[in-house]
Amino acid sequence: MAEAAPASELLGGEEEGRNGLHKGRQEDQEHKMTLPTVSNYSIHETTNDSDNGKQEDRKTDSGIKLVTDVDQSNSRDRSHQPALDNMGWDKPLCDFSNFRANVCEMRGNIRIHPSGSSVMYMEPAGSMKDEQWKIKPYPRKGDELCLSHITEVTVQFSKVAPECTKYHDVPAVIFALTGYTGNLFHDFTDVLVPLFTTANEFNGEVQFLITDMAIWWTRKYAVVFEKLTKYPLIDFNKDNEVHCFKHTIVGLHAYMELTIDPLKAPHNYSMVDFNKFMRRTYSLPRDEVTSLGEVPKTKPRLLIISRQRTRMFLNLKEIVAMAEEIGYEVVVEEANVNSNVAHFANVVNSVDVMMGVHGAGLTNCVFLPHSAILIQIVPWGALDGICRVDFGYPAEQMGLRYKHYSIGVHESSLTDQYPLDHEIFKNPLAFHKNGFEFVRQTFMDTQNVRLDCNRFRPILLEALDQLNQ
């Protein structure tokens, strides 16, 4: 996968990659958990004070002490509890059935105590529930190396909890940042797409609590956070308050790489919605590609994503000359962790076609206008399945037109390292049995591309034809 993503289960070629995409959509319905949505819940709900019948905001002393949910001596605490308290929560607090991410969601009297790494659902008197879950709120389920750096949060039913020090009238979403963030692909597939899927329905009326905070990362994507929440971010690991909420989600809804499953996502969100959200967030001018015939004498713009360390185009000047000769206006840009997101978003949005060798830079396709064309150059090594799952299927789900070009042996720099009769050329799939890390080191980290312009030329001509339609 792009840079660091473990994908050993997808290394069996294109057909296995396709089957993997559908796996997440075909989970047994008996494991699917239907949870209440914001549409049947008022985030500004208040209750009447039992003493004077008036509605008013409540505050507590800053000191933390243990109290029981049925203790009526603290009327300020009880006056803020919603009607759901007396009903209890009749569903499991957490859903661990998704192959990609665990998510907990609950409504009622909820206490979040960051210094104790705990989320407590306060049960009414007489309840016999004794439910406890351990969750690491980062959507890389099963990746023990990644999750070893993520704070574990305990979610449980409880009758005893620290007293509230802060009340909130909006839902809470708790998620982690560390993981693989810092790689553009993982910034989106692990955080930004799942965060949009989980929080967009609240229209900014939601409080984010972030474990394993990365301040530089939140600054890099500040405009995205500003679109999703109206409230300052809370650093979960450094917070000493006891926060009281009526609705809390721990973890983020996530599916296959860089995709949203509209059959399972809240409000049937899709990647088309995410694509629109990104264009709106970065104030990008083009929503859709205009047919070339509608704008006479205008050349289609082609963006070539260049790389400087691995999977480089060794004959970039030749590729540019060929594209210009065909009729494209060519733009060359390098995408890396230091790239200015707003600048790159505007460049990408200005083009009709984007092409590049498989890698994190192709993630910028999220900024392309609808109906634009993405061309992915697949390195040698039986990597078609991985490449389609990482970018091919997501591009199509965004409403882009996708083209897939697998290089031949003669286009690979591996011919400079191995003789042509080596197993790496005769049976590259055999190398996949050694695991993804081995595949990455062999076919991704040490390979560059010398594109055969005569062989690749028809792909650019086909894209031109599509732009004229």
Side-chain angles (χ1 to χ4, degrees), residues 373-403:
I373 298 171
L374 175 67
I375 304 173
Q376 179 173 202
I377 312 299
V378 181
W380 179 260
L383 303 175
D384 295 87
I386 298 172
C387 293
R388 286 191 184 276
V389 168
D390 281 359
F391 297 111
Y393 300 133
E396 291 169 345
Q397 290 189 21
M398 276 182 257
L400 305 177
R401 290 175 281 192
Y402 174 71
K403 294 188 177 299

Side-chain angles (χ1 to χ4, degrees), residues 192-207:
L192 296 179
V193 172
L195 186 59
F196 165 83
T197 307
T198 306
N200 188 62
E201 67 172 316
F202 301 120
N203 296 314
E205 294 294 337
V206 61
Q207 175 68 64

Side-chain angles (χ1 to χ4, degrees), residues 64-92:
I64 296 176
K65 62 179 182 179
L66 286 177
V67 296
T68 63
D69 187 46
V70 295
D71 182 1
Q72 299 188 38
S73 62
N74 189 341
S75 61
R76 292 176 298 176
D77 186 48
R78 292 192 59 79
S79 70
H80 233 76
Q81 296 171 9
L84 282 170
D85 283 3
N86 296 326
M87 298 166 53
W89 185 248
D90 60 357
K91 302 177 178 67

Side-chain angles (χ1 to χ4, degrees), residues 197-398:
T197 307
T198 306
N200 188 62
E201 67 172 316
F202 301 120
N203 296 314
E205 294 294 337
V206 61
Q207 175 68 64
F208 293 156
L209 296 92
I210 302 176
T211 77
D212 313 288
M213 174 71 82
I215 296 295
W216 70 269
W217 198 92
T218 61
R219 289 173 178 166
K220 180 175 181 177
Y221 296 105
V223 292
V224 178
F225 284 108
E226 289 168 5
K227 284 290 183 181
L228 290 174
T229 179
K230 299 175 182 177
Y231 303 92
L233 307 177
I234 294 177
D235 187 335
F236 189 93
N237 297 76
K238 294 183 179 179
D239 190 89
N240 294 315
E241 303 285 352
V242 177
H243 300 269
C244 285
F245 290 89
K246 302 172 188 177
H247 182 189
T248 296
I249 301 172
V250 185
L252 301 174
H253 295 292
Y255 311 98
M256 295 299 289
E257 301 292 10
L258 207 61
T259 63
I260 300 173
D261 188 338
L263 298 179
K264 297 178 180 179
H267 301 282
N268 305 116
Y269 288 135
S270 69
M271 285 303 291
V272 171
D273 297 312
F274 180 77
N275 188 233
K276 290 178 181 177
F277 169 76
M278 294 308 295
R279 292 198 301 264
R280 185 173 69 250
T281 297
Y282 285 93
S283 302
L284 303 179
R286 299 175 74 215
D287 288 329
E288 187 149 2
V289 166
T290 304
S291 173
L292 295 179
E294 297 179 20
V295 187
K297 298 182 179 180
T298 298
K299 288 185 176 182
R301 284 170 61 84
L302 167 66
L303 170 62
I304 300 177
I305 302 292
S306 66
R307 298 173 60 92
Q308 294 301 317
R309 291 186 300 168
T310 64
R311 283 160 278 156
M312 297 184 294
F313 284 121
L314 297 177
N315 58 334
L316 181 59
K317 290 183 178 180
E318 182 186 358
I319 298 168
V320 171
M322 181 265 292
E324 290 177 337
E325 185 266 324
I326 288 175
Y328 285 96
E329 177 187 343
V330 180
V331 180
V332 178
E333 289 274 353
E334 180 186 358
N336 56 53
V337 69
N338 298 316
S339 297
N340 180 284
V341 179
H343 164 75
F344 218 93
N346 276 278
V347 172
V348 172
N349 187 251
S350 74
V351 306
D352 306 290
V353 182
M354 186 175 99
M355 63 172 277
V357 181
H358 174 77
L362 294 184
T363 312
N364 287 288
C365 68
V366 299
F367 303 116
L368 284 169
H370 192 267
S371 297
I373 298 171
L374 175 67
I375 304 173
Q376 179 173 202
I377 312 299
V378 181
W380 179 260
L383 303 175
D384 295 87
I386 298 172
C387 293
R388 286 191 184 276
V389 168
D390 281 359
F391 297 111
Y393 300 133
E396 291 169 345
Q397 290 189 21
M398 276 182 257

